[in-house]
Amino acid sequence: MPETQTKNPSFETRIPEGDNLHRQVCSDCGFVAYENPKVVVGAVVTHGDLILLCRRAINPRSGFWTLPAGYMELHESAEAGAMREAWEEARAKIAIDALLGAYTIPRLSQVQLIYRARLTDPAISAGPESLDVGLFAWADIPWDDLAFPSVRWALTHFNEVKDRTHFPAFSNPPGETGDH
Amino acid sequence: MPETQTKNPSFETRIPEGDNLHRQVCSDCGFVAYENPKVVVGAVVTHGDLILLCRRAINPRSGFWTLPAGYMELHESAEAGAMREAWEEARAKIAIDALLGAYTIPRLSQVQLIYRARLTDPAISAGPESLDVGLFAWADIPWDDLAFPSVRWALTHFNEVKDRTHFPAFSNPPGETGDH
C-alpha cells in the first residue's frame, strides 16, 4: 500500500470533548481522524543458510535492500500479513517459525513485528515494489546498502539466535530509535 | 483514548489510483483515510505472586476485569505505552521485563503487545477508566468476569512461563481469534 497519507486541509488540531490529547478534527463536520501508530509486518526469510532480501523499487530508500515487510492490512493476523508481504514483494511462499522482534520507531509512530520464516518453495522473483530480490549468504549481506536501521536490527538479531529453536523476541537495540 | 471512531458521512469506499484495495475516500476533496490495524499495549503486572487487574469503568465490557492496556499513542515506544497505560488505568508504576505475547484480533483489526512487568511501587488505585483495581492471587482470578478473551490468553501464557527468565513471545492460542 502507499506509504504516505495526505492531510485534509480542512482538518484542524484540537482536543475533542472527553479526550486529553490533540487530534485532527475536521473544521467542517467535526469528524475526528484519530492518528494511530501503524503496524509493519515482515520476516527474515531463509532458504538453507541464505537470507531473502528485496531491493526497493519505491521511496523511501528506493534502490536499497530490505526485508519483505509492509503495512499490515485490516482484518488479517500479523503472521498472515508477513506472509502476504513476502508474496507481494518477493513472490515468496513462506512458513512462519517465531516472532523475532517487536520494534518501535517512535519518530514514525511505527511498530514492526518481524518474524523468522523459511521459504516453502525455492522460487522467488521481484514483485511490483521490488527492483530485484536475492538470497544472500551472511557474508554477502549488503550492510552499507540496507534501506532502514530496523533491517540491520532484525538481521543481527536473527544471526544471534540462528542456532536456537526457541528464543525471546527482541525489541529495539539499547538506545536505538531507528532514526539512523 | 476513546475506542470508537465515527465515520465521516462524506466518505465513500473506493480503490484510489495506484492502490489495490478499497479505502475510505472523501467524495468532497479526495482525501484518502487509510484505515490501519490499531496497536493495543499492556502488561501482566505482578507484585510478588499477585497479578494486577482493573475493573473497567467504560464500554465495551464495563464492569469486567482486564489487564492495564490501551491504544498506543503516536511517537511513543510500545514499552512506554504499556507503562503509560498502567499509570492511567491503575496509577501503577511498573518496570517492563519481557514481551509476553503479540496477539492479533482480526475482526477488530487489533494487534496487542502484552508485556510481563512488575510493580516498582506497591501503591495502586483506580484511574478514570477503572471502577476498581486489585492484586489477585492466581487462585482468585475472576475467570468468569474477564473482559476479553485476550486477557485470558495473556494470563494463561504468563502462568506457563512464570518460572522462566527467558521465553519466546506467545501469539494467539491455536485456532483462537479473540471473538469469544
Side-chain angles (χ1 to χ4, degrees):
Chain A
M1 62 175 284
E3 304 214 351
T4 56
Q5 177 166 332
T6 313
K7 283 273 198 306
N8 185 329
S10 69
F11 277 39
E12 62 185 11
T13 303
R14 63 179 171 85
I15 301 177
E17 196 178 324
D19 203 341
N20 59 3
L21 287 178
H22 286 85
R23 309 288 180 186
Q24 294 294 310
V25 183
C26 180
S27 56
D28 293 336
C29 67
F31 174 73
V32 182
Y34 288 102
E35 294 178 284
N36 302 103
K38 291 187 177 59
V39 183
V40 166
V41 284
V44 176
V45 180
T46 56
H47 183 60
D49 288 337
L50 305 177
I51 296 170
L52 174 63
L53 295 176
C54 308
R55 199 154 75 89
R56 289 171 64 83
I58 55 172
N59 278 314
R61 302 288 279 165
S62 182
F64 289 81
W65 291 91
T66 190
L67 300 171
Y71 287 116
M72 187 174 167
E73 292 283 3
L74 296 181
H75 307 304
E76 69 183 358
S77 70
E79 292 89 345
M83 294 172 70
R84 176 183 51 73
E85 290 290 343
W87 175 255
E88 288 182 5
E89 302 194 350
R91 296 296 180 243
K93 294 178 184 165
I94 69 172
I96 302 277
D97 163 33
L99 181 64
L100 177 64
Y103 306 118
T104 314
I105 320 292
R107 179 178 55 89
L108 303 176
S109 296
Q110 201 176 79
V111 168
Q112 298 196 355
L113 298 178
I114 307 297
Y115 292 86
R116 186 169 76 174
R118 60 183 173 75
L119 285 182
T120 58
D121 180 328
I124 56 169
S125 63
E129 297 186 356
S130 302
L131 294 170
D132 195 7
V133 294
L135 291 166
F136 290 78
W138 182 254
D140 297 330
I141 287 174
W143 295 103
D144 293 338
D145 293 317
L146 296 181
F148 308 111
S150 57
V151 176
R152 176 170 44 81
W153 303 346
L155 289 170
T156 305
H157 289 155
F158 166 83
N159 193 54
E160 279 184 40
V161 295
K162 69 177 192 297
D163 298 324
R164 295 173 61 181
T165 306
H166 301 293
F167 55 87
F170 289 89
S171 59
N172 292 28
E176 293 212 39
T177 55
D179 290 331
H180 39 73
Chain B
M1 61 175 287
E3 304 214 350
T4 57
Q5 177 167 331
T6 313
K7 283 273 199 307
N8 185 331
S10 68
F11 278 38
E12 61 184 12
T13 302
R14 63 178 172 85
I15 301 177
E17 196 179 324
D19 203 341
N20 59 2
L21 286 179
H22 285 85
R23 310 288 180 186
Q24 294 295 309
V25 184
C26 180
S27 54
D28 293 336
C29 68
F31 174 73
V32 182
Y34 288 103
E35 294 178 284
N36 302 103
K38 290 187 177 59
V39 183
V40 166
V41 285
V44 175
V45 180
T46 56
H47 184 61
D49 289 335
L50 305 177
I51 295 170
L52 174 63
L53 295 176
C54 309
R55 199 153 76 89
R56 289 172 64 83
I58 55 173
N59 278 315
R61 302 287 282 165
S62 182
F64 289 82
W65 291 92
T66 191
L67 300 170
Y71 287 117
M72 187 174 166
E73 291 283 3
L74 295 181
H75 307 303
E76 69 183 358
S77 71
E79 292 89 345
M83 294 172 71
R84 176 183 51 72
E85 289 289 343
W87 175 254
E88 287 182 5
E89 301 195 349
R91 295 296 180 243
K93 295 178 184 166
I94 69 171
I96 302 278
D97 163 33
L99 181 64
L100 176 64
Y103 307 118
T104 313
I105 321 292
R107 180 177 55 89
L108 303 176
S109 296
Q110 202 176 79
V111 168
Q112 298 196 354
L113 297 178
I114 307 297
Y115 292 85
R116 186 171 75 174
R118 61 182 174 75
L119 285 183
T120 58
D121 179 329
I124 56 170
S125 63
E129 297 186 355
S130 302
L131 294 170
D132 195 6
V133 294
L135 291 165
F136 290 77
W138 183 254
D140 297 331
I141 288 175
W143 295 102
D144 292 339
D145 293 317
L146 297 181
F148 308 111
S150 57
V151 176
R152 174 171 44 80
W153 303 346
L155 289 170
T156 305
H157 289 156
F158 166 84
N159 193 54
E160 280 184 39
V161 295
K162 69 178 192 297
D163 297 324
R164 296 173 61 180
T165 306
H166 301 293
F167 55 86
F170 290 88
S171 59
N172 292 28
E176 293 212 38
T177 55
D179 291 331
H180 39 74

